[in-house]
């Protein structure tokens, strides 16, 4: 079946502009996660959704970052007034959370470059 | 102390050898453990998960879990150059989310 998809795959934006990143989880997966990965670094947790609610937003780096999820499906991560330090790959993952083992499956990521 | 620790490597092994990747975690209440492989420029790919003490085998991969020692490892038998990647250990803890280690870079030399 279809995996997690993300769009756009690449985004180049000017400092100060707003960007929206989109994630389509695996059909039926109730949990959705956003991570950031800077070049050569590990995964940095940003936020996760269970259904349409976000029990844990602790990883969002600043109030410029926000995310929403509608219809227990698509999620968008919005970064306002982008800064150069926001340049990274933004990864989305989804999980069924009904299997009891909670494995997450990742999308291909969106590479964001802020110039 | 980091919640999930891995040696960053690089770990270099010759083709055909066994590669051993190790991970320790701090949350004694952790329940499920995962290994992901990440090729350069790609997203992480789930290889295995384990939640019971002991070994779990899948093809050339064996995950080993020792909850008393808070230690999980991944063995790759008959290593191939195509196994060269960064391997991420992840732990599902009581906080309700996966905690990832920084990853171990594996290089398999022909």
């Amino acid at each position: 079946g279809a995996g997690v998809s993300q769009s756009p795959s690449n985004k180049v934006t000017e400092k100060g502009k707003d960007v929206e990143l989109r994630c389509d989880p695996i059909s039926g997966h109730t949990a959705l996660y956003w991570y950031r990965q800077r070049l050569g670094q590990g995964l940095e947790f940003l936020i996760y959704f269970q259904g349409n609610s976000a029990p844990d937003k602790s990883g969002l780096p600043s109030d410029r970052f926000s995310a929403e999820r509608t219809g227990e499906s698509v999620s968008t991560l919005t970064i306002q007034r982008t800064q150069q330090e926001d340049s990274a790959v933004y990864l989305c993952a989804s999980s069924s959370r009904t299997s009891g083992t909670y494995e997450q499956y990742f999308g291909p990521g969106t590479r964001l470059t802020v110039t | 102390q980091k919640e999930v620790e891995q040696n960053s490597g690089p770990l270099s092994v010759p083709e055909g050898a066994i590669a051993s990747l190790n991970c320790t975690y701090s949350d004694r209440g952790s329940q499920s453990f995962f290994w992901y492989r990440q090729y350069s420029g790609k997203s992480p790919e789930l290889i295995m998960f384990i939640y019971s003490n002991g070994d779990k085998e899948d093809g050339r991969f064996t995950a080993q879990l020792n909850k008393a020692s808070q230690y999980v490892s991944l063995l790759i038998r008959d290593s191939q150059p195509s196994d060269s990647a960064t391997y991420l250990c992840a732990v599902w803890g009581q906080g309700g989310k996966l905690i990832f280690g920084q990853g171990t870079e594996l290089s398999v030399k022909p």
Side-chain angles (χ1 to χ4, degrees):
Chain A
V4 179
S5 62
Q6 293 187 244
S7 62
S9 55
N10 279 285
K11 176 73 176 178
V12 180
T13 189
E14 292 180 354
K15 177 181 172 181
K17 296 287 180 71
D18 297 351
V19 294
E20 262 192 15
L21 312 179
R22 176 188 169 108
C23 172
D24 273 282
I26 293 171
S27 178
H29 278 193
T30 58
L32 185 150
Y33 305 80
W34 284 100
Y35 297 89
R36 179 169 70 178
Q37 189 172 35
R38 292 195 168 109
L39 187 64
Q41 303 296 310
L43 292 173
E44 179 184 359
F45 169 81
L46 297 178
I47 186 171
Y48 100 86
F49 290 90
Q50 179 57 42
N52 291 336
S53 64
D56 191 342
K57 305 179 183 179
S58 63
L60 293 178
S62 74
D63 59 8
R64 296 187 296 105
F65 288 73
S66 63
E68 66 175 15
R69 188 180 186 195
T70 56
E72 296 195 353
S73 181
V74 171
S75 175
T76 55
L77 176 68
T78 301
I79 308 173
Q80 295 178 311
R81 305 181 304 280
T82 51
Q83 304 294 312
Q84 288 186 328
E85 63 262 28
D86 299 334
S87 295
V89 175
Y90 289 82
L91 291 160
C92 174
S94 71
S95 169
S96 71
R97 290 187 70 128
T98 57
S99 65
T101 52
Y102 308 121
E103 62 269 29
Q104 295 180 12
Y105 297 91
F106 283 84
T110 294
R111 183 175 299 277
L112 175 66
T113 303
V114 182
T115 61
Chain B
Q1 181 190 8
K2 291 182 182 177
E3 293 182 79
V4 178
E5 292 207 52
Q6 299 180 252
N7 289 328
S8 59
L11 173 66
S12 183
V13 300
E15 184 174 357
I18 296 175
S20 178
L21 303 158
N22 305 314
C23 173
T24 58
Y25 60 94
S26 60
D27 183 353
R28 190 168 286 278
S30 299
Q31 300 169 14
S32 301
F33 307 85
F34 304 83
W35 284 100
Y36 286 82
R37 177 176 62 198
Q38 187 173 26
Y39 291 115
S40 181
K42 300 294 185 182
S43 60
E45 170 193 13
L46 180 67
I47 299 175
M48 293 189 70
F49 62 85
I50 185 169
Y51 48 88
S52 298
N53 274 329
D55 295 359
K56 179 181 180 181
E57 186 174 317
D58 184 0
R60 295 187 296 112
F61 299 96
T62 299
Q64 299 175 318
L65 175 61
N66 183 326
K67 289 186 179 180
S69 300
Q70 296 176 239
Y71 176 94
V72 58
S73 64
L74 179 70
L75 301 178
I76 307 175
R77 289 182 300 281
D78 188 24
S79 296
Q80 301 297 308
S82 59
D83 295 326
S84 298
T86 296
Y87 289 79
L88 302 169
C89 172
V91 175
W92 183 269
Q94 298 183 56
K97 63 190 181 195
L98 271 186
I99 307 297
F100 285 85
Q102 288 295 103
T104 297
E105 183 183 349
L106 173 66
S107 176
V108 181
K109 303 296 187 185

